[in-house]
Each structure stands twice: as C-alpha cells, then as structure tokens.
Amino acid sequence: MRNGRILFVLAISLVACGPKDRDNGNGGVDGNTGGGDGNTNQDNCSEEAKLVYTVDENNTLSTFDPTTKIFTDLGELNCPAQFGASPFSMGIDRNAGAWVLYSSSELFQVDTKTLACTKTSWSAPNGLVQFGMGYSTDVAGGSTDTLFIAGGAGPTQPTSALNKLDTSSMSPQMVGTVTGWPELTGTGNAELWGFFPSAGTPRIEQIDKSNGSAARTFPLPTLSGEPTAWAFAFYGGDFWVFLAKDLDLSTTIYQVDGMNGTIKGMTSTGSRTIVGAGVSTCAPVVIF
C-alpha cells in the first residue's frame, strides 16, 4: 500500500501448517467464502498457495521466502488500469490467486502463474476507494475463507471502514471501524491482524472480525516515521512488515514475533519499494 501509494528457491525446513495453539482468542464469524480447494490441514493446499507474494511500485510481482529472505521475480503485471494507475494493495486466496487493487480503485484478479489480469466489477461502493486486504479462515483449521478489507477515501483519513468482501458479487458488508489505515493479513487460525503505520504510534493489532475492535495490540515504536509504502503478511508464526518511510529509498522487511510483538530481524530489499503483499491461509503457522 502506498500513501496517497526464474527460479523458485527451495529452503530445507520443516513447517506445520495446521492451527497453532495460542493463548489469545479469535473473532471468527460467519462470512462469505473466498473459495478455493485447500484446507489448513495442508494436504490439499498447493505449494504455490503457501508462498508470500509481493508487488512493487514498478509492477513486479514476486514471491518472498521468509526462511531464506530471498525474492523470486515472477514478472511484470500489465493490468489495464486507467490513468496510468499503479498497484496499491494485494491479497492472496487459497488458490494462489492474487487480488490486486490499483490506485485508480480498480480491482483485478491476477493469475500468479501466467500474470493474466481479469478486471472485476468492483465499483468502490460506500466510499471504499482504497483499502488494505487479507483473507482469514472462517473457523480455525477450516477450508473456507473470508476476504476482509479496511479503507475508505484514502490513507490521510484517521479511521478506516472494515468490511467483508464477497468476491463473487463484489459486495462489501460493513463490520466496523478501525483507527488508522492498516494493511491486513489473516491466518488459518481464523485470526485477522492489521499493521497500522504511523509517524508516532505504529502497531500490529489483532482485529475482532465481528466488530473491528482491537483484541490484542503490539506497539512498534521502532517503526515510527511517516509511511510512504507498506504491506503486511503472516508466515511461520511471525508477522512480516514491509515498510518504507520518511526518506527511505526502498522497503525494509521487519520480522515481528507473532506471540509478543518483538522485532526479531530486519532485511533490506535492495531497490524494491513494495506496495502490496499477500499470503493465503495455507501458509504455515509455525516453522520448526
């Protein structure tokens, strides 16, 4: 999300992709399914559906491997967005399909294998011109998802409207209001989390999916600064914050502990300015 915004590398690691016991609850509610043919017990999830995907300001779609910190470029998006618009935000479904919102408020469904773009019928109802997004399973360990979006007219607003989005009808359903302008990520544990960038009080927050209230908050003062591009993903039990701020020339990736919110590491992206990241609920919830 921006303000205003070869080869697959294999890593030898053991992962667990089913629900991980946590001592905090979740706000799971009934919702429209995002579709897909997998489940978080993982046997029916494709390898592609377990990856973290990113898109940068130059339209490059890539995968990012949190275990090796390596990007693999898949190619350049050529979605027919109007007015020279650029990607603003991205979500990934259980079929490894990308949903890419452009700065023109056009929403495209992208095949991550062929990079073919299909424009949806999204028309920015209820003032949802720009937003962050992420899928969350409807129940812990379930095989159906809901796509949540949070946004409004633009990131300069102090609050965002949290909605569930039925991607078959492109109809949003209002859930509640959140303070700030987050990027969202979900988990196979039926949790929904947001990264809220801020010049003074950035945070990661678990969001109650029934009303938008904060269920748990991790302050991140180290990430303070005027944000210029940000994205967010959950993988392997940790959060991955993609952030460029102030006079940064590119994005830095922050690995944040999923249990206590401490920063475990930082990774430079070189010259990349990442404006969208997404991961499906097939992603592993813990790495051994």
Side-chain angles (χ1 to χ4, degrees):
M1 179 183 290
R2 290 203 72 177
N3 199 7
R5 194 117 125 127
I6 77 195
L7 295 177
F8 176 64
V9 181
L10 293 175
I12 301 175
S13 60
L14 299 176
V15 299
C17 303
K20 174 186 176 184
D21 290 338
R22 300 175 68 103
D23 59 6
N24 56 303
N26 66 69
V29 295
D30 291 337
N32 300 308
T33 63
D37 60 356
N39 61 55
T40 50
N41 291 326
Q42 214 52 105
D43 289 345
N44 295 325
C45 283
S46 69
E47 291 303 312
E48 291 81 7
K50 303 172 192 177
L51 303 174
V52 176
Y53 292 81
T54 66
V55 63
D56 68 19
E57 65 178 358
N58 296 319
N59 290 284
T60 301
L61 183 69
S62 309
T63 61
F64 171 71
D65 185 345
T67 65
T68 62
K69 313 299 191 296
I70 291 176
F71 285 91
T72 300
D73 294 338
L74 303 177
E76 185 174 327
L77 295 183
N78 192 27
C79 298
Q82 299 177 353
F83 315 119
S86 59
F88 184 84
S89 182
M90 181 172 66
I92 300 292
D93 63 31
R94 294 176 64 83
N95 292 321
W99 299 82
V100 183
L101 178 71
Y102 276 69
S103 55
S104 56
S105 193
E106 297 167 284
L107 182 62
F108 290 87
Q109 188 174 12
V110 177
D111 186 317
T112 54
K113 291 184 178 179
T114 66
L115 273 62
C117 296
T118 302
K119 186 176 180 179
T120 72
S121 61
W122 176 255
S123 60
N126 304 329
L128 291 168
V129 178
Q130 295 178 331
F131 50 82
M133 61 179 120
Y135 278 95
S136 174
T137 53
D138 297 322
V139 296
S143 59
T144 61
D145 296 337
T146 296
L147 179 61
F148 286 84
I149 64 175
T156 57
Q157 294 181 318
T159 61
S160 304
L162 180 67
N163 285 255
K164 297 185 291 186
L165 177 60
D166 182 343
T167 55
S168 60
S169 66
M170 287 296 140
S171 300
Q173 179 183 344
M174 182 72 172
V175 172
T177 301
V178 296
T179 300
W181 197 275
E183 263 296 359
L184 303 177
T185 192
T187 74
N189 290 329
E191 298 170 353
L192 181 68
W193 293 79
F195 167 62
F196 295 75
S198 170
T201 56
R203 69 193 192 276
I204 287 174
E205 191 166 88
Q206 185 182 357
I207 300 170
D208 188 319
K209 296 192 295 185
S210 67
N211 57 23
S213 65
R216 193 178 188 190
T217 301
F218 297 139
L220 296 171
T222 303
L223 273 59
S224 296
E226 192 65 37
T228 57
W230 61 98
F232 189 44
F234 174 88
Y235 184 96
D238 288 337
F239 299 107
W240 302 82
V241 176
F242 301 80
L243 177 64
K245 51 190 173 65
D246 299 324
L247 301 178
D248 291 348
L249 299 179
S250 62
T251 293
T252 298
I253 305 170
Y254 299 87
Q255 181 180 358
V256 181
D257 190 289
M259 294 302 296
N260 57 34
T262 59
I263 296 177
K264 298 169 68 173
M266 298 167 52
T267 302
S268 171
T269 63
S271 60
R272 299 173 190 264
T273 299
I274 294 171
V275 296
V279 62
S280 86
T281 56
C282 290
V285 297
V286 63
I287 299 176
F288 297 110

